[in-house]
Amino acid sequence: EIRDPRVVAVYSQTLSYTDGISDDLEAILAIVEAENERRSGVGLPLVTLVNDSCLAFCVLVHNDGRGGRGCLRLLDLAGARCTTPLIVTLDAHKHLGVDKGVSSCVGSPGTLSHLAGSVRVGAQPTKGMLVRALADLLLVGVDGYTRIYRELAEQMRRVEAAVEAAGLAVVHRSHRAAG
């Protein structure tokens, strides 16, 4: 429950297998949405929910809400009736075959319009890097990336089995998202 009117944003993470545990986005969204419904009735500013998908391309492929799987795609979870302003960052440059600079920030309608100014972090990608990233997306395609990341997850399951067979524990297994 959020009750402090000074809270203007909540940060959540969707992390890749190697980075750690992903937050329970559905529960977080429900809490923030309930607070925003309360705030909209009394004229207080809404709480923005920020989700950082840090190198989580594989996790997003595997947790799409289909076939009984949970959903870690915040914009899909929220749906059209959500009053909560949403911002999702995706740091996926390594997945797209480039070194740096192909990160993205998307938001629910109107959310990003409140942002002003900019902060430069790192170097701007070269035209060649951007062309390579776009070519990879075009040539590999959605189905190709889905297949690649499903194969990666299967290999990770095999590694986990081998680690456990050797008597080692997989840390936080019950809290890790598939993929």
Side-chain angles (χ1 to χ4, degrees):
E1 181 176 10
I2 302 169
R3 285 295 184 184
D4 190 330
R6 294 173 294 182
V7 174
V8 295
V10 172
Y11 177 83
S12 62
Q13 287 188 305
T14 303
L15 300 171
S16 70
Y17 184 84
T18 58
D19 290 335
I21 301 168
S22 293
D23 292 323
D24 185 345
L25 295 183
E26 195 167 357
I28 294 169
L29 178 59
I31 291 167
V32 175
E33 183 69 6
E35 175 63 8
N36 282 336
E37 287 174 5
R38 185 187 73 78
R39 285 182 178 202
S40 66
V42 295
L44 290 172
L46 300 180
V47 176
T48 297
L49 177 53
V50 179
N51 178 236
D52 178 20
S53 295
C54 183
L55 298 175
F57 220 50
C58 192
V59 171
L60 296 175
V61 166
H62 283 84
N63 297 277
D64 58 3
R66 297 182 186 140
R69 295 183 295 269
C71 184
L72 289 174
R73 298 176 180 183
L74 183 60
L75 295 173
D76 290 348
L77 276 174
R81 296 182 190 204
C82 182
T83 59
T84 298
L86 305 170
I87 296 176
V88 178
T89 62
L90 179 61
D91 186 12
H93 53 265
K94 291 179 182 139
H95 297 279
L96 303 177
V98 295
D99 293 327
K100 292 285 178 195
V102 189
S103 299
S104 302
C105 182
V106 295
S108 55
T111 302
L112 300 180
S113 65
H114 300 289
L115 301 178
S118 63
V119 176
R120 185 176 176 162
V121 178
Q124 183 173 349
T126 65
K127 287 181 183 176
M129 292 169 78
L130 290 174
V131 167
R132 178 180 173 189
L134 292 172
D136 283 351
L137 285 172
L138 180 65
L139 295 173
V140 176
V142 173
D143 292 338
Y145 275 110
T146 300
R147 182 181 50 36
I148 289 167
Y149 284 105
R150 294 213 185 280
E151 290 171 3
L152 173 63
E154 180 55 36
Q155 293 300 323
M156 290 303 302
R157 281 190 282 278
R158 290 180 184 161
V159 169
E160 283 181 356
V163 164
E164 290 177 332
L168 300 171
V170 176
V171 178
H172 300 298
R173 171 192 274 284
S174 63
H175 301 291
R176 290 190 186 273

